[in-house]
Amino acid sequence: MSIKIVPDWMVNLEDEDIAFIKKFILNSGSLKKMAKEYDVTYPTVRLRLDKLIQKIEIEDRIEEDSYISLIKRYAVDEKIDFDTAKVLISEYRKNIEGADAE
């Protein structure tokens, strides 16, 4: 069994976010081409990219969190499965983001 190493900033991205990133790269970072491919306006693609940037920035801010590091270590050591780790981290982040909004 091969283990995929996923960068921290990608762990909680949705599949559609990863597909967007792939298309963005394949389109040489052209938002104009992306708009055409998705059949939407340029501002719509720009907004989607801005939201994706925010998700990645949030990941970077809490990357050093000891709880998240512990969960990731458990997943790497196969003490818990990857899907369980992903759910635990996602729920933890929701709580952190909710606390930041208050």
Side-chain angles (χ1 to χ4, degrees), residues 2-43:
S2 68
I3 297 175
K4 293 183 180 181
I5 304 298
V6 179
D8 289 341
W9 62 269
M10 288 185 77
V11 171
N12 285 316
L13 294 180
E14 306 285 328
D15 289 342
E16 64 188 39
D17 293 332
I18 294 170
F20 182 88
I21 292 169
K22 181 179 178 181
K23 285 183 182 185
F24 185 71
I25 292 168
L26 292 174
N27 282 301
S28 302
S30 170
L31 294 179
K32 197 182 250 186
K33 288 180 183 178
M34 293 288 289
K36 187 174 182 177
E37 187 164 328
Y38 279 104
D39 195 28
V40 295
T41 64
Y42 177 94

Side-chain angles (χ1 to χ4, degrees), residues 10 12 40 51 56 67 76 87-88 102:
M10 288 185 77
N12 285 316
V40 295
K51 287 180 181 180
I56 293 169
Y67 176 78
V76 168
V87 168
L88 289 171
E102 293 176 359

Side-chain angles (χ1 to χ4, degrees), residues 6 9 11 19 39-40 50-51 58 62 74 81-82 89:
V6 179
W9 62 269
V11 171
D39 195 28
V40 295
D50 288 343
K51 287 180 181 180
I58 288 170
I62 60 178
Y74 279 177
D81 61 84
F82 182 74
I89 291 170

Side-chain angles (χ1 to χ4, degrees), residues 51-66:
K51 287 180 181 180
L52 190 52
I53 290 168
Q54 287 175 344
K55 283 184 179 183
I56 293 169
E57 287 173 343
I58 288 170
E59 175 61 38
D60 284 346
R61 277 192 313 203
I62 60 178
E63 185 176 302
E64 298 302 316
D65 190 292
S66 61

